[in-house]
Amino acid sequence: MDNVRTFCIIAHIDHGKSTLADRLIQHCGAVEARDFRDQILDSMDIERERGITIKSNSVTLDYVARDGRSYHLNLIDTPGHVDFSHEVRRSLMSCEGALLLVDASQGVEAQTVANLYLALEYDLEIVPVINKIDLPAADVERVRTEIEEDLGLDSDGAVLCSAKEGIGIEDVLESVVHRLPPPTGDPAAPLKALIFDAEYDPYRGAVLLVRVMEGTLRPGQEVLLMHTDAHYQVEEVGLLQLRRVRTAELAAGAVGYVIAGVKAVSDIDVGDTITEAERPAGEPVPGYRPAKPVVFSSIYPMSNEEYPELAKALEKLKLNDAALTYDKDSSAALGFGFRCGFLGLLHLEIVQERLRREYDLSLILSAPSVRYRVTFADGSVRWIDNPSEFPEPGSIERTEEPFIKASVMMPERYLGQVMELCRERRGAQTNFHYLAVGRVELISEMPLADVLFDFNDRLKSVTQGYGSFDYEMLDYRDTDLVKVDILVNGEPVDALAQLVHRDKARPRALHYCERLAETIPRQQFKIAIQGAIGGQVIARTTINAFRKDVTAKCYGGDITRKRKLLEKQKKGKKRMKMVGSVEIPQSAFVAVLKTDKD
Amino acid sequence: MSAGLYIHVPFCASVCPYCDFAVTLAGEERRQAYVAGIGREAALAAADGLKFDTVYLGGGTPSALAADQLGEILGAVRGRLQVGEDTWTFLEINPEDVSAASVSAWRELEVRTVSLGVQSFDDAALGFLGRRHTADDARRALDRLREGGFATVSLDLIYGLPGQSADGWCRQLEEAAARSADHLSCYQLTIHSGTVFGRRQARGSLGEAVEPVQAELFLLTHRVLAELGYEGYEVSNFATAPRHRSRHNLKYWSHEPYLGLGPSAHSFVGRRRFWNQRRLRAWQRAVDAGCRPLEGSEELGDAELALEAIMLGLRTADGVDLGSLRSRYGVDLVELNRRAIERFCDGGHLVLDSGRLRPTVSGMAIADTLARELEVGASG
């Protein structure tokens, strides 16, 4: 076990995590040059394209160190985004150490800090690595200062590298071998293996990614998942070396995979502990918490005929994405759809993108909502995330909404604008403190609902890209919530209804009305668009009618072309939704969710 | 059902900046070859077996051909195709080609409707449109044609020109009526890409009137002409009496068969539509080699034909014959569109009576919308 090291790389987005992973893999010869591709640990197209990691992955590397000894290095690649912090936590728990990667020109950012705190929570040994030292804008000394002052780490031991140029890769590997501790654990003890992620294989079902903490996993074992209390029989275990490599066993300290007849990823919970049914461990690995969706939105197919396909697609996505939840939903305007729950906005975007891309579905999403706690006059409590279920205001005693603690790191010069932005978003208890010279961290307690609506985009815009943002959930607090309806020619468009704080109702309603007026094509009658609370109209726009739509000439030679144009337009119409007699294009539903600034 | 014969004469003395038809400035030699080519194409097309009761010489500028060339063309088609005794012959002409001699030659050729490309009675507008005649030329030509004893004298006018006022346009219409035109074609200026105006539009130095103005002018045109005794029987066509309606063009709008000869001409026979090579040279090569000069064709299904019938019918005051739509294409328009039709009737765009769905004038103004909104079933 002395020659095993298990570690992950933690970094802010774009600081070069995947590139460094690629270099470490190449350096250890785990992949033939001809089989290599960038971001090799990210298997989904969407991960590769957006340069993000959604699913955790791991790879076991064989490394012969400068001292001549051979090591097994388990590199666990984790998602970086806050939406997936649940997976990040599980991955960190599987490691003894972490490389903290910092961009030599960007310096320490909010996600760096958030992920470092997480790593420290799990008692990991940290090695700072300063990446991109080849860039002209690299300022290693400044970054060293930030590592010292912002993170409280000793920067003398920071390893310098350029993953892109392949500089310092061996130094990184040497620091893994010499500065990170080997795993502990007794192969003979009762089995305790932590599931840190799972992926779906169409032939084998769910493939569980595990770190064995104690004991030994072998094929044929009857195992028990301690939190879900489910029994399975182990069919196969092995190492992940960019492909699955079958082994006879996985002993304490090992990182690998288990196939045990689990049908779908959603059948298990990431974070659960596998033990032996015959000889169970006394306690599961601590820190288990099922992933809970915090953002909700209804997804409707553009055309009702696509509903069965959407149902099938969600079922398939769910096989590999345990955090996604969905239930049937229906809208008077948009027909049948699903109410879906997501870990955050990025998760929502990814699901939407995968449905579009992998299943070729054209979709309409309703405005994302958080989950509110409504207490009725009779003392009963209901959780509500769907505006259509919002009760009669008279029956409500009190409404609460989720608050987060947001941390924003930025150069000092943007502090004023960012404070203003937080104030706009109902931020409370806003404080800031200086980090290294010229840099500030601002902490604000904000309603999650106000962060969902384009906060990150606005932050990037007011800080010209220099601000970074992370958050953690706090608690539920009292709020004054109203349901804003959007009416088109007097007909409420239920998919556009939303729950907002009373103070935000009018500007939000006006924003929706204006966006709709821009995107709904003029029709042969006047269209009134209104925002209303109950029966009271709080915002209004109008689309004037058109009265002329006919070509001047249509003779023998014009008919074919004209018919073809009409056919095309009729097809386009099928992609519109009828509300009363008004046609609303998909783009209108998309546009209302965008902000004024983009 | 008798068919219409269209002969496209692509020759012009100059190309107007708004025109997107297949035209050429080619000279005498190619004109002569073309005339012979039409004869050959007519012989090739005889196999279609159509019987004709209208012949329409359009362009381009048919009057740019010499009278004996027109005679040769008409002689050839009358000889080689089944052109009935009582066939109505139409000729498009430009004012500069009208003389005492040409008028009597056209009479000799048994032309019954002459359609004069006046475009405007205003010299500034004519200049803008790149026309070679003056307003006075047009007036003189019109008088000559009137005296020539044609059954129907028709004028083409263009409106919606930049800077043209509603009053100015009304005066044009009044003059056309005062000069006792039997039939008017009034086209709102449309800018096509690939024309001189199209290029000017792309540069931003020219544009069509905005929609509310277009709508005003369109409705004004129909209203004023109705007051002057013209029935707007189609979006852009007006006649003082049913006999002056263009019985050739009506075939297009009522989905009757037609055969087109000459470059770019389209034909509709049975369920098939086919069209000729657009360029004169390509067309000429084909007919000279003894081939049908086709560029493309399509076989239409019921839903496509029904969509065309609706799209075309709703351009005309007579509207769509619902019974014929059902018997020819199996489409029950009212059954399929109860709510939409009710809505358009309530909105004053459509009228449903005696088995026909007719557009009102404001309905005609949005005929394309109406055709888009009405369902024709499965593949429509």
Side-chain angles (χ1 to χ4, degrees):
Chain A
M1 209 181 290
D2 270 0
N3 64 339
V4 174
R5 297 290 184 277
T6 300
F7 69 104
C8 59
I9 306 172
I10 54 184
H12 193 75
I13 190 164
D14 285 341
H15 281 200
K17 186 161 73 92
S18 296
T19 312
L20 179 59
D22 288 351
R23 289 301 162 269
L24 299 180
I25 290 167
Q26 282 175 309
H27 192 92
C28 294
V31 57
E32 298 282 333
R34 66 187 155 84
D35 293 332
F36 181 78
R37 51 182 194 166
D38 285 344
Q39 259 185 279
I40 194 159
L41 290 177
D42 293 328
S43 49
M44 276 186 259
D45 281 351
I46 191 163
E47 291 182 308
R48 311 174 70 79
E49 244 166 63
R50 299 176 65 150
I52 55 174
T53 300
I54 301 166
K55 303 276 301 175
S56 300
N57 199 350
S58 82
V59 59
T60 303
L61 304 171
D62 295 316
Y63 174 62
V64 180
R66 285 175 188 153
D67 62 12
R69 291 178 59 190
S70 294
Y71 291 87
H72 272 314
L73 307 184
N74 297 313
L75 165 58
I76 298 181
D77 190 26
T78 70
H81 194 272
V82 59
D83 281 10
F84 304 102
S85 64
H86 181 64
E87 276 85 350
V88 178
R89 282 174 178 275
R90 300 292 80 76
S91 302
L92 293 176
M93 279 177 76
S94 306
C95 298
E96 274 75 41
L99 300 177
L100 177 80
L101 192 64
V102 184
D103 184 310
S105 59
Q106 303 287 320
V108 171
E109 303 209 51
Q111 269 174 26
T112 325
V113 182
N115 286 329
L116 171 69
Y117 288 163
L118 275 179
L120 292 175
E121 216 177 289
Y122 295 104
D123 233 1
L124 301 194
E125 192 63 42
I126 309 290
V127 175
V129 176
I130 301 177
N131 188 25
K132 306 195 189 181
I133 55 165
D134 60 306
L135 290 185
D139 185 347
V140 173
E141 284 319 303
R142 179 177 62 88
V143 173
R144 276 186 200 278
T145 312
E146 289 179 7
I147 288 173
E148 297 259 350
E149 297 188 8
D150 299 359
L151 305 179
L153 295 176
D154 179 4
S155 70
D156 288 345
V159 183
L160 304 186
C161 77
S162 165
K164 188 160 163 270
E165 299 300 322
I167 301 166
I169 302 306
E170 201 172 292
D171 295 339
V172 173
L173 287 164
E174 286 296 316
S175 70
V176 167
V177 166
H178 297 294
R179 290 167 61 183
L180 302 185
T184 55
D186 176 4
L191 175 65
K192 232 190 220 189
L194 173 70
I195 304 174
F196 64 85
D197 211 338
E199 60 181 20
Y200 178 71
D201 177 316
Y203 303 103
R204 307 298 305 267
V207 178
L208 314 181
L209 275 51
V210 299
R211 157 72 196 264
V212 183
M213 311 306 254
E214 299 282 351
T216 303
L217 255 174
R218 292 191 190 87
Q221 268 173 335
E222 285 287 337
V223 291
L224 168 70
L225 300 194
M226 296 181 78
H227 288 282
T228 48
D229 203 25
H231 286 259
Y232 294 99
Q233 181 162 25
V234 176
E235 295 169 6
E236 181 182 328
V237 299
L239 300 178
L240 290 159
Q241 293 189 308
L242 297 176
R243 58 197 170 81
R244 295 200 288 264
V245 178
R246 217 174 163 134
T247 57
E249 57 174 45
L250 290 176
V255 172
Y257 70 91
V258 181
I259 296 172
V262 183
K263 215 173 120 244
V265 169
S266 49
D267 293 342
I268 53 107
D269 278 328
V270 166
D272 207 341
T273 303
I274 303 176
T275 192
E276 205 173 351
E278 294 275 300
R279 193 169 62 121
E283 292 288 322
V285 181
Y288 168 80
R289 193 181 56 182
K292 265 218 226 122
V294 295
V295 176
F296 301 84
S297 169
S298 296
I299 301 187
Y300 303 95
M302 199 55 222
S303 140
N304 291 330
E305 293 148 31
E306 286 183 337
Y307 177 76
E309 284 166 63
L310 174 60
K312 235 180 272 168
L314 282 170
E315 197 184 319
K316 278 198 191 153
L317 282 190
K318 175 83 183 160
L319 286 177
N320 201 22
D321 185 348
L324 171 69
T325 63
Y326 64 97
D327 283 303
K328 280 185 183 161
D329 191 16
S330 74
S331 146
L334 301 177
F336 288 109
F338 292 95
R339 187 73 184 170
C340 298
F342 307 93
L343 295 172
L345 277 187
L346 179 69
H347 188 211
L348 179 154
E349 260 179 56
I350 286 163
V351 169
Q352 177 189 14
E353 181 71 8
R354 292 188 65 191
L355 289 171
R356 188 181 70 75
R357 216 195 296 205
E358 296 168 30
Y359 300 93
D360 196 25
L361 290 166
S362 182
L363 305 170
I364 296 175
L365 272 78
S366 68
S369 172
V370 300
R371 181 167 277 177
Y372 297 93
R373 181 158 64 196
V374 177
T375 309
F376 291 87
D378 65 4
S380 61
V381 172
R382 255 182 84 190
W383 294 91
I384 290 186
D385 62 63
N386 192 341
S388 69
E389 290 166 8
F390 194 65
E392 174 54 36
S395 66
I396 298 174
E397 176 72 30
R398 116 184 234 228
T399 312
E400 293 158 286
E401 66 177 319
F403 266 66
I404 56 161
K405 186 168 129 192
S407 148
V408 180
M409 295 180 68
M410 75 211 103
E412 191 184 358
R413 60 183 179 279
Y414 301 112
L415 183 61
Q417 284 118 301
V418 174
M419 287 184 81
E420 173 61 22
L421 177 62
C422 290
R423 199 192 53 75
E424 265 174 36
R425 302 305 165 101
R426 299 191 282 135
Q429 307 289 324
T430 305
N431 285 306
F432 61 90
H433 58 267
Y434 285 89
L435 300 163
V437 177
R439 286 171 54 80
V440 181
E441 181 183 22
L442 179 141
I443 304 287
S444 182
E445 297 180 8
M446 297 163 75
L448 176 60
D450 282 58
V451 172
L452 293 186
F453 195 70
D454 78 331
F455 179 81
N456 208 15
D457 291 350
R458 294 276 292 121
L459 176 69
K460 289 288 172 212
S461 137
V462 302
T463 62
Q464 295 168 305
Y466 288 106
S468 59
F469 159 71
D470 209 330
Y471 70 85
E472 58 186 275
M473 298 299 288
L474 277 179
D475 49 13
Y476 269 74
R477 296 182 185 177
D478 280 341
T479 185
D480 184 6
L481 200 63
V482 292
K483 180 182 171 194
V484 173
D485 287 310
I486 301 294
L487 297 90
V488 173
N489 268 1
E491 300 250 5
V493 186
D494 51 4
L496 294 177
Q498 49 193 311
L499 300 173
V500 287
H501 190 270
R502 189 178 299 277
D503 295 349
K504 292 295 175 68
R506 192 182 301 271
R508 188 71 66 81
L510 191 61
H511 169 82
Y512 268 47
C513 290
E514 284 170 352
R515 277 299 161 112
L516 288 173
E518 286 163 17
T519 44
I520 296 177
R522 288 201 297 156
Q523 291 169 38
Q524 65 278 4
F525 43 83
K526 200 169 177 174
I527 304 168
I529 299 170
Q530 296 164 310
I533 301 174
Q536 189 201 348
V537 173
I538 54 169
R540 184 192 166 91
T541 53
T542 310
I543 303 172
N544 284 321
F546 69 79
R547 292 180 300 148
K548 168 124 189 315
D549 176 29
V550 65
T551 51
K553 292 187 183 185
C554 188
Y555 297 112
D558 304 312
I559 297 170
T560 292
R561 192 177 51 220
K562 197 166 166 59
R563 187 198 72 242
K564 285 186 174 160
L565 180 63
L566 273 180
E567 284 167 350
K568 204 172 126 199
Q569 291 167 334
K570 274 174 174 279
K571 265 204 195 110
K573 262 169 53 68
K574 289 216 172 119
R575 308 216 77 98
M576 297 216 205
K577 287 290 178 183
M578 290 295 285
V579 172
S581 50
V582 181
E583 284 169 350
I584 305 186
Q586 184 189 17
S587 57
F589 290 94
V590 175
V592 289
L593 298 178
K594 294 230 171 111
T595 58
D596 292 325
K597 317 284 184 215
D598 44 47
Chain B
M1 210 167 1
S2 292
L5 177 64
Y6 175 77
I7 302 164
H8 187 74
V9 182
F11 305 103
C12 285
S14 66
V15 178
C16 299
Y18 54 87
C19 174
D20 74 332
F21 287 115
V23 297
T24 169
L25 301 175
E28 194 46 42
E29 199 176 321
R30 289 178 61 199
R31 294 181 183 204
Q32 201 51 54
Y34 159 85
V35 169
I38 289 291
R40 277 190 213 109
E41 192 186 3
L44 291 165
D48 290 340
L50 296 174
K51 292 188 174 62
F52 300 97
D53 65 358
T54 62
V55 173
Y56 193 107
L57 286 151
T61 315
S63 60
L65 290 182
D68 58 339
Q69 289 172 320
L70 290 175
E72 195 180 331
I73 288 172
L74 285 172
V77 300
R78 285 168 182 158
R80 292 170 196 184
L81 294 168
Q82 299 178 61
V83 177
E85 275 300 300
D86 198 31
T87 292
W88 196 284
T89 302
F90 297 76
L91 179 68
E92 287 182 353
I93 51 195
N94 269 358
E96 61 266 34
D97 298 322
V98 178
S99 65
S102 62
V103 167
S104 78
W106 297 330
R107 287 286 290 137
E108 290 279 307
L109 294 173
E110 298 177 26
V111 170
R112 296 205 202 168
T113 293
V114 283
S115 177
L116 186 66
V118 171
Q119 315 312 353
S120 176
F121 290 109
D122 174 66
D123 282 334
L126 288 170
F128 167 76
L129 292 169
R131 301 295 294 186
R132 293 158 60 90
H133 64 270
T134 62
D136 279 339
D137 292 339
R139 293 182 183 110
R140 271 192 297 277
L142 192 50
D143 292 344
R144 280 222 164 91
L145 292 174
R146 279 260 62 104
E147 290 155 14
F150 295 97
T152 300
V153 173
S154 175
L155 301 186
D156 279 8
L157 295 172
I158 299 182
Y159 68 101
L161 306 179
Q164 185 182 46
S165 66
D167 276 356
W169 171 232
C170 286
R171 282 198 298 278
Q172 304 277 318
L173 294 175
E174 281 156 8
E175 175 156 5
R179 293 180 183 274
S180 45
D182 306 305
H183 182 277
L184 295 173
S185 297
C186 300
Y187 299 114
Q188 196 152 68
L189 178 68
T190 308
I191 298 179
H192 301 277
S193 59
T195 62
V196 172
F197 278 4
R199 286 187 287 279
R200 286 180 58 186
Q201 177 167 263
R203 284 199 306 270
S205 63
L206 184 64
E208 290 174 7
V210 295
E211 181 271 335
V213 173
Q214 287 193 16
E216 274 314 315
L217 285 172
F218 180 90
L219 299 172
L220 175 78
T221 303
H222 279 259
R223 191 168 64 239
V224 167
L225 285 177
E227 284 163 12
L228 292 169
Y230 291 84
E231 184 212 8
Y233 69 99
E234 197 258 357
V235 166
S236 303
N237 286 284
F238 305 82
T240 52
R243 70 174 188 282
H244 291 306
R245 290 180 174 192
S246 171
R247 61 189 73 188
H248 178 83
N249 289 341
L250 280 169
K251 289 182 190 293
Y252 300 134
W253 301 323
S254 57
H255 237 193
E256 284 167 40
Y258 52 89
L259 176 72
L261 303 179
S264 82
H266 282 55
S267 303
F268 178 54
V269 180
R271 289 175 164 267
R272 188 163 167 259
R273 187 172 288 107
F274 48 95
W275 48 94
N276 282 351
Q277 295 285 354
R278 183 174 164 92
R279 300 190 61 82
L280 175 61
R281 283 181 197 283
W283 173 87
Q284 189 78 50
R285 255 196 309 278
V287 293
D288 288 353
C291 304
R292 289 293 282 270
L294 297 189
E295 187 178 87
S297 72
E298 58 179 0
E299 193 76 29
L300 301 173
D302 277 344
E304 287 163 317
L305 287 167
L307 174 58
E308 286 191 0
I310 293 160
M311 152 190 120
L312 297 165
L314 291 176
R315 293 181 65 89
T316 66
D318 288 347
V320 179
D321 181 338
L322 298 168
S324 136
L325 198 63
R326 200 178 308 113
S327 62
R328 286 177 81 176
Y329 309 128
V331 169
D332 192 333
L333 195 62
V334 176
E335 193 53 46
L336 283 167
N337 296 280
R338 256 178 213 294
R339 280 191 57 194
I341 288 175
E342 195 180 311
R343 183 157 53 87
F344 287 122
C345 288
D346 289 349
H349 294 108
L350 287 176
V351 176
L352 187 59
D353 78 317
S354 45
R356 302 192 77 95
L357 187 63
R358 303 170 204 270
T360 60
V361 172
S362 66
M364 250 186 231
I366 59 163
D368 290 349
T369 298
L370 298 177
R372 245 188 324 267
E373 293 292 323
L374 296 178
E375 281 294 324
V376 294
S379 62

